[in-house]
Amino acid sequence: MSASTTPTPLRLNQLPNAAGVGYKPQHFQQILDAPGPVQWLEIHAENYMGDGGRPLAQLRHLAERFAISVHGVGLSIGGESPLDADHLARLKQLLSWLNPASFSEHLAWSTHDSHFYNDLLPLPYTDATLARVCDHINQVQDLLGRRMLLENPSSYLAFAESTWEEPAFLHEIARRTGCGLLLDVNNVFVSATNLGYRPQDYIAAYPLDLVGEIHVGGHDEDEDDHGKPLLIDSHGAEVVDPVWALLRDTLTRSGARPVLVEWDTDVPDWPVLAAEAARAAAALTQAREAA
Amino acid sequence: MSRQQEFTRAILNAQLPVPEGLLDGEMRAAGRRFSVYRNNVAVSLTEALHQGFPVIARLLGKENMDGLAGLYLRAHPPKSPLMMQYGESFPAFLDGMEQLAHLGYLGDVARLELALRRSYHAADAAPIDAEQLAALPPEALMSCRLRFAPAMALLRAPWPIYSIWRYNSLDGAPKPQAGAEDVLITRPDYDPQPQPLPPGAASWITALQAGETLATATDIAYAEAPDFDLSAPLALLINGAALTDVLPKERP
């Protein structure tokens, strides 16, 4: 295992410190015609692992105009079983021809016993999980020949066996593997609400110098068995004001970073998503002026 | 049992208790917080099946489709993180459902929807120029073999699968009539196009796919359908950008 303890001065990725959006095929023409403040796009890796056709043709076209971030949702970095060799090979092929500005994945698992559960499932923060996740990240980075970013999850529950706080856990993964971090401030807000801590405390404990990208997105509201708020990370609505405020606080501390608006379910018409991107761009401008 | 094994079992079976040692922020048992994962898995896979099989969903109605999707995801959890491939075994699953035995065509209609989805994601391939074929003297043409684009597919069914698909996909399409239908899928640009084939054409294409010459394939088609005319399916293939090569017989 690599034990590089000195922070690397290399850039975490090649995305512009500007607003981006999660790309949806129904927005293809409007993104080209009226991108507004959007300077980069994020795609889900698994949707572009077919052999050809429209998805790849659109992606080739968009990549001529926009920086592209490839965001994996199916690698199961936290899985107890070895990483899926076929999936890694597909990922390598996609990144080889596309040469995207960034590649990121999640601190989560989704595959067990050769079955894929299509959700980002949670991990206990233990030394055993730490070692396994680091092994998998080293394997991915060695194979891809690039640094990846690792994203903090949305939490709905905690594990009794956890011995690490999440920010320190992510920091240690980054220290051991050299990976960068993708900070999803909506996930921070969701987890903090669900588990009863202040999101600002999480950000204060988080290694912001390792952040290569920030996500914001919408969530749903539910209740747990005790009538306490239970927020669900749905990516199906506008970003709420407290999350925008958390983004501004974060950018003030971290300096400008690439900020992505995620909207994956009940996807709105392009002007609605472009307006969300404009709010992200405004937060970046505000952070620059405050600096 | 490992944590993840315990997790997946409880996700797929809501009758099982929530795994031990899962807590809320005040160290109380997580309870229904665990249902978020149960819901995320079931809802996302159900939605994927609806998207992959819109005609089956329409034929069954949303409630029945949701119920079937729930049974299917528990019997056949996805084996790949590629949702574009989810549902590969759904046609056979439909065939095996006793409660659906009176709708015998469902499995074959699902095969058509699956073939359309595969065609959508199939590799691109440069089609031959129609002039290239037209320039060949008939004798030479008949001694040729053809190669097909990866996005081309052929389906044969004892049911009117094309007519059922069309009636449930396109506004104003005529009602299906009973009878077997053979369907050719081509992808002229990026949108797969299903089309019904005249008698003999499916056997003609099958023979060509197996590497037979146009002459041999046409003899096979005549034997099945005496009024077979190769110009009709040949035009469908050319217009559908489904031919990628014309190979003279001599070449190995």
Side-chain angles (χ1 to χ4, degrees):
Chain A
M1 188 173 297
S2 68
S4 62
T5 49
T6 45
T8 163
L10 286 173
R11 282 189 62 179
L12 290 159
N13 59 33
Q14 302 297 316
L15 293 172
N17 289 330
V21 294
Y23 171 64
K24 297 294 159 202
Q26 58 265 48
H27 297 147
F28 176 72
Q29 199 55 49
Q30 284 169 295
I31 283 179
L32 291 170
D33 294 345
V38 172
Q39 293 189 28
W40 59 281
L41 302 171
E42 187 157 281
I43 60 158
H44 286 177
E46 287 70 17
N47 292 339
Y48 297 87
M49 289 180 174
D51 293 328
R54 179 178 283 120
L56 297 187
Q58 286 192 340
L59 180 55
R60 278 192 292 271
H61 202 77
L62 292 166
E64 289 171 10
R65 174 105 171 252
F66 296 95
I68 305 286
S69 162
V70 173
H71 191 50
V73 296
L75 200 50
S76 199
I77 290 265
E80 287 168 358
S81 32
L83 297 178
D84 177 344
D86 291 342
H87 197 60
L88 278 173
R90 287 190 291 259
L91 190 60
K92 185 174 171 66
Q93 191 191 1
L94 173 62
L95 296 198
S96 295
W97 74 258
L98 183 60
N99 192 21
S102 182
F103 169 67
S104 52
E105 253 283 356
H106 298 83
L107 178 60
W109 60 283
S110 50
T111 295
H112 180 71
D113 205 12
S114 301
H115 286 133
F116 175 70
Y117 290 88
N118 202 32
D119 191 26
L120 299 167
L121 298 166
L123 289 163
Y125 298 145
T126 62
D127 290 349
T129 305
L130 180 66
R132 191 171 71 232
V133 168
C134 288
D135 282 350
H136 286 168
I137 290 176
N138 285 333
Q139 187 188 350
V140 172
Q141 293 188 140
D142 287 350
L143 179 83
L144 299 179
R146 62 157 72 215
R147 293 175 86 171
M148 58 168 282
L149 305 180
L150 188 68
E151 179 177 348
N152 56 299
S154 277
S155 297
Y156 308 111
L157 47 77
F159 288 81
E161 64 265 39
S162 287
T163 55
W164 291 76
E165 297 291 330
E166 189 173 285
F169 194 74
L170 286 161
H171 196 169
E172 183 62 13
I173 291 169
R175 192 189 67 78
R176 290 193 189 182
T177 65
C179 77
L181 299 176
L182 193 172
L183 174 59
D184 188 318
V185 295
N186 178 61
N187 289 358
V188 171
F189 185 81
V190 165
S191 300
T193 305
N194 290 343
L195 296 178
Y197 55 83
R198 294 179 67 243
Q200 293 82 2
D201 293 344
Y202 183 104
I203 299 295
Y206 191 94
L208 291 174
D209 54 328
L210 296 175
V211 173
E213 179 182 341
I214 294 177
H215 276 179
V216 292
H219 56 252
D220 289 345
E221 294 181 22
D222 199 351
E223 282 185 354
D224 75 359
D225 295 310
H226 307 281
K228 298 260 181 173
L230 180 61
L231 303 185
I232 317 279
D233 180 34
S234 62
H235 299 173
E238 266 128 349
V239 180
V240 297
D241 285 340
V243 170
W244 287 119
L246 191 61
L247 172 67
R248 288 191 294 270
D249 290 352
T250 302
L251 289 172
T252 304
R253 288 162 175 262
S254 67
R257 289 289 196 276
V259 177
L260 182 93
V261 178
E262 290 187 294
W263 201 321
D264 295 319
T265 57
D266 297 324
V267 176
D269 290 341
W270 175 245
V272 176
L273 188 55
E276 290 284 276
R279 290 193 76 174
L284 278 162
T285 303
Q286 203 177 324
R288 283 198 180 90
E289 286 166 356
Chain B
M1 200 186 320
S2 78
R3 258 290 183 219
Q4 294 185 358
Q5 188 174 4
E6 187 185 39
F7 232 82
T8 53
R9 285 190 183 184
I11 281 174
L12 291 187
N13 184 354
Q15 306 304 313
L16 289 178
V18 172
E20 296 286 316
L22 302 180
L23 309 170
D24 70 4
E26 296 173 44
M27 308 295 275
R28 295 176 299 204
R32 69 181 297 244
R33 289 162 175 262
F34 188 78
S35 307
V36 176
Y37 301 110
R38 283 178 170 148
N39 285 341
N40 283 350
V41 171
V43 170
S44 69
L45 292 178
T46 299
E47 176 59 21
L49 212 61
H50 272 273
Q51 281 181 10
F53 299 94
V55 168
I56 296 297
R58 189 163 168 171
L59 287 166
L60 290 170
K62 183 179 180 337
E63 207 171 307
N64 290 330
M65 182 69 173
D66 285 352
L68 265 186
L71 294 174
Y72 178 69
L73 74 91
R74 285 166 180 87
H76 304 275
K79 290 197 170 151
S80 160
L82 303 196
M83 279 297 103
M84 69 177 74
Q85 294 175 357
Y86 183 54
E88 299 259 338
S89 55
F90 189 56
F93 177 80
L94 289 171
D95 286 340
M97 292 292 293
E98 268 181 42
Q99 305 92 305
L100 299 173
H102 61 295
L103 306 173
Y105 51 83
L106 283 178
D108 282 332
V109 174
R111 283 181 187 89
L112 173 56
E113 295 204 277
L114 194 60
L116 288 167
R117 179 150 46 115
R118 285 190 185 131
S119 172
Y120 183 78
H121 291 289
D124 304 321
I128 56 161
D129 192 342
E131 305 291 316
Q132 202 182 326
L133 276 186
L136 288 170
E139 287 281 309
L141 177 65
M142 294 308 284
S143 72
C144 286
R145 291 174 290 123
L146 302 178
R147 281 213 180 126
F148 300 97
M152 189 210 86
L154 177 69
L155 290 99
R156 309 195 70 170
W159 312 96
I161 54 171
Y162 171 76
S163 300
I164 293 170
W165 175 87
R166 184 177 58 173
Y167 183 66
N168 289 283
S169 301
L170 308 175
D171 286 339
K175 278 199 160 183
Q177 304 293 319
E181 277 181 353
D182 300 329
V183 186
L184 175 71
I185 296 172
T186 60
R187 197 182 80 193
D189 46 27
Y190 294 124
D191 294 307
Q193 306 289 336
Q195 276 165 305
L197 286 171
S203 295
W204 180 75
I205 292 172
T206 302
L208 289 167
Q209 284 177 312
E212 300 292 355
T213 62
L214 271 164
T216 305
T218 304
D219 286 344
I220 290 169
Y222 277 139
E224 183 181 306
D227 57 352
F228 175 75
D229 174 4
L230 70 83
S231 64
L234 193 57
L236 286 179
L237 291 168
I238 291 169
N239 296 335
L243 297 181
T244 58
D245 231 338
V246 186
L247 306 167
K249 192 184 182 182
E250 292 72 31
R251 213 193 297 172

